[in-house]
Amino acid sequence: MNQTFMKEKKILPLVLSMALPMVVSMAVNSLYNIIDSYFIAKLSEDAMTALSLVFPAQNIITSVAVGFGVGINAAIAFFLGAKEQKTADLAASQGVFFNLIHGILLTILGLLGMKSFLSMYTNNTNVLSLALTYANLVFLFAPVVTVGITYEKIFQAIGWMKETMVCMLVGFVTNIILDPLLIFGIGPFPKWGIWGAAFATGSGQVLTLVAYFIFYYRKPRVVHITVADCKPDASILKRLYGVGIPATLNMALPSFLISVLNAILAGFSETYVMVLGVYYKLQTFIYLSATGIVQGIRPLVGYNYGAGEGKRVRKIYATGLVLTVFLMVLGTTLSWIMPERLFGLFTTNATTLSLGVEALHIISIGFIISAISVTTCGALEGIGMGLPSLMISLLRYSIVIMPAAFVLSRIFGATGVWMAFPIAETITGIASYIIWCKKRKSFIMVS
């Protein structure tokens, strides 16, 4: 199939055609996260706290899969742009094989280590029991997740955005339908509580993977995934992991951050841990939608970089940034005009609600400027510059926010943790733009 539309079509329509299906997918995914948490919160606050504690570990699965998938995505897009079909096929095949290995290892590590991990954050036996029940099942589905996300990134690299959207929607809708049925035992379905929520999630992931298989084997193939090409190739793996490892760390850093912030907040009250968990569920609606923009521009950046179209790379970045800023403005507006309704989805406790509104107000101050770091990380990954992208994420999720949260919590209590967010976003946003300006000078400029 001819992929030259990536360097020939006008940039705004091109970016929108690639990004909008992903924005829709990410918005539905975030809606699922909110609905999932809404139903679990109906069980008890202990159940919601358990989910909040599992989230960082659960996110490691996605981090590894998406991070390595970004490496696959960037490599395939670059090789197609450079008209190296066989190398693109090798990248796709080895990407599937090695992400399957990652999933198997994550299942083993998760089943062996979750009890010790969770025990660091709570001594509430009921919360610990609920968290283990949920986590043990979730980690069994890790290989399904890693392979499914690999196909997602391959589809995105070749411009199959609508097909990717359909596959993701299959999983999200399955989750949304099964959640209340299996959590509460509606009709003929068993009442499985928090285990039912985990089973619904796993079922959606399986059906998503099946949908990817159906599209891949029924449509004309842009890249070919074969067993013969799974044999490790040092140069291919160097490229995949060269972007994949930094991208994985980028994805994993938020989980590490949440774990650190949970430890700080637990010193004040477990209620603050729940508030942080709810916030991260709510902010997915904003940031996952922004991720949709990034997923749309990443293969475009990679393809045009491989084709030597440096000028288009810069224009694609600028267009993506404008669209991401728009989403962040929308998110900030919602956080200020209806915070009570948003947090009210997860709790009726007046104290928890009040603390949640305060947190959302403070944290949302940094949403708009964070668009710079979000867009820049995606663009840098698209052109294979994984380390500069990692440096931005380290600033955003570790170097600035963690010490700021610790120091400010000693001065302002738990409120100081919320204050650390906009401070980190502002510093990181400025640094991101400086990094991008330096790196873009190296692009091959073509009129």
Side-chain angles (χ1 to χ4, degrees):
M1 293 180 66
N2 189 352
Q3 300 301 108
T4 56
F5 71 92
M6 290 191 185
K7 69 173 184 178
E8 295 172 352
K9 192 173 180 179
K10 289 184 178 180
I11 287 177
L12 180 58
L14 177 62
V15 170
L16 289 175
S17 68
M18 295 285 281
L20 286 181
M22 291 300 93
V23 172
V24 172
S25 299
M26 294 296 98
V28 175
N29 182 29
S30 60
L31 179 63
Y32 158 69
N33 286 332
I34 292 171
I35 292 174
D36 181 54
S37 299
Y38 171 80
F39 287 127
I40 289 176
K42 293 295 182 182
L43 291 174
S44 67
E45 284 208 356
D46 276 359
M48 188 62 208
T49 301
L51 193 67
S52 299
L53 292 176
V54 172
F55 176 76
Q58 183 183 3
N59 196 47
I60 293 297
I61 301 173
T62 306
S63 299
V64 171
V66 172
F68 190 66
V70 167
I72 300 166
N73 178 285
I76 292 173
F78 177 86
F79 291 132
L80 289 177
K83 301 188 182 303
E84 299 178 22
Q85 179 66 52
K86 180 58 180 176
T87 317
D89 293 343
L90 288 172
S93 300
Q94 292 178 40
V96 172
F97 176 72
F98 280 91
N99 234 357
L100 172 61
I101 298 300
H102 299 157
I104 294 170
L105 292 175
L106 286 167
T107 294
I108 295 170
L109 291 173
L111 294 177
L112 293 177
M114 277 307 297
K115 186 173 183 179
S116 298
F117 172 79
L118 293 168
S119 296
M120 293 190 296
Y121 301 101
T122 183
N123 54 12
N124 183 318
T125 55
N126 187 47
V127 170
L128 183 60
S129 175
L130 290 168
L132 283 172
T133 298
Y134 185 85
N136 285 339
L137 184 56
V138 163
F139 272 90
L140 285 176
F141 287 98
V144 175
V145 174
T146 55
V147 174
I149 289 176
T150 302
Y151 273 87
E152 171 194 324
K153 296 307 174 189
I154 292 171
F155 278 28
Q156 291 170 2
I158 61 180
W160 287 7
M161 294 306 192
K162 292 180 180 178
E163 291 82 355
T164 304
M165 178 182 70
V166 170
C167 294
M168 296 173 76
L169 288 176
V170 166
F172 302 155
V173 172
T174 300
N175 289 346
I176 291 171
I177 292 172
L178 289 182
D179 255 339
L181 299 177
L182 295 177
I183 292 174
F184 304 112
I186 298 173
F189 292 88
K191 185 178 181 180
W192 283 340
I194 199 168
W195 196 88
F199 187 83
T201 297
S203 299
Q205 291 161 348
V206 169
L207 289 180
T208 294
L209 180 56
V210 170
Y212 280 123
F213 286 154
I214 292 172
F215 276 117
Y216 175 75
Y217 286 106
R218 289 196 173 184
K219 287 178 65 70
R221 299 174 200 173
V222 180
V223 292
H224 299 82
I225 300 168
T226 63
V227 174
D229 283 342
C230 289
K231 182 180 179 181
D233 179 289
S235 62
I236 295 294
L237 292 180
K238 181 179 178 181
R239 190 174 192 99
L240 297 184
Y241 281 105
V243 175
I245 290 176
T248 297
L249 293 175
N250 287 347
M251 293 289 297
L253 282 171
S255 297
F256 179 54
L257 171 63
I258 294 169
S259 297
V260 171
L261 297 185
N262 279 342
I264 295 173
L265 293 169
F268 297 99
S269 168
E270 279 195 353
T271 301
Y272 288 108
V273 174
M274 179 186 171
V275 167
L276 182 65
V278 171
Y279 161 71
Y280 267 96
K281 293 293 182 181
L282 291 174
Q283 63 97 39
T284 57
F285 184 79
I286 304 160
Y287 282 102
L288 282 183
S289 298
T291 298
I293 300 293
V294 172
Q295 289 182 349
I297 69 169
R298 189 186 285 124
L300 298 177
V301 166
Y303 186 95
N304 283 278
Y305 186 63
E309 297 284 346
K311 188 174 183 180
R312 280 178 66 85
V313 170
R314 295 176 67 174
K315 289 183 177 180
I316 290 166
Y317 169 84
T319 303
L321 179 59
V322 170
L323 294 173
T324 305
V325 168
F326 172 78
L327 288 175
M328 293 302 177
V329 169
L330 178 61
T332 304
T333 303
L334 291 175
S335 298
W336 279 86
I337 66 175
M338 53 186 299
E340 294 88 355
R341 291 186 180 181
L342 294 174
F343 257 86
L345 293 171
F346 306 98
T347 182
T348 56
N349 184 297
T351 301
T352 304
L353 185 60
S354 175
L355 294 174
V357 170
E358 178 193 30
L360 192 56
H361 276 163
I362 296 173
I363 295 173
S364 64
I365 294 171
F367 284 174
I368 296 174
I369 195 169
S370 72
I372 301 174
S373 57
V374 170
T375 308
T376 302
C377 278
L380 289 171
E381 290 165 353
I383 58 179
M385 295 184 180
L387 287 178
S389 175
L390 176 59
M391 288 303 300
I392 292 171
S393 292
L394 284 171
L395 279 173
R396 187 178 180 204
Y397 294 116
S398 180
I399 295 172
V400 178
I401 193 171
M402 288 182 186
F406 178 79
V407 172
L408 292 173
S409 69
R410 304 278 78 83
I411 301 171
F412 301 102
T415 301
V417 174
W418 318 138
M419 295 167 64
F421 280 82
I423 292 172
E425 296 291 11
T426 301
I427 294 173
T428 306
I430 294 170
S432 298
Y433 189 70
I434 293 172
I435 291 172
W436 175 256
C437 288
K438 289 182 177 180
K439 294 299 179 183
R440 72 182 183 182
K441 293 178 182 178
S442 65
F443 297 168
I444 301 172
M445 302 308 297
V446 178
S447 299

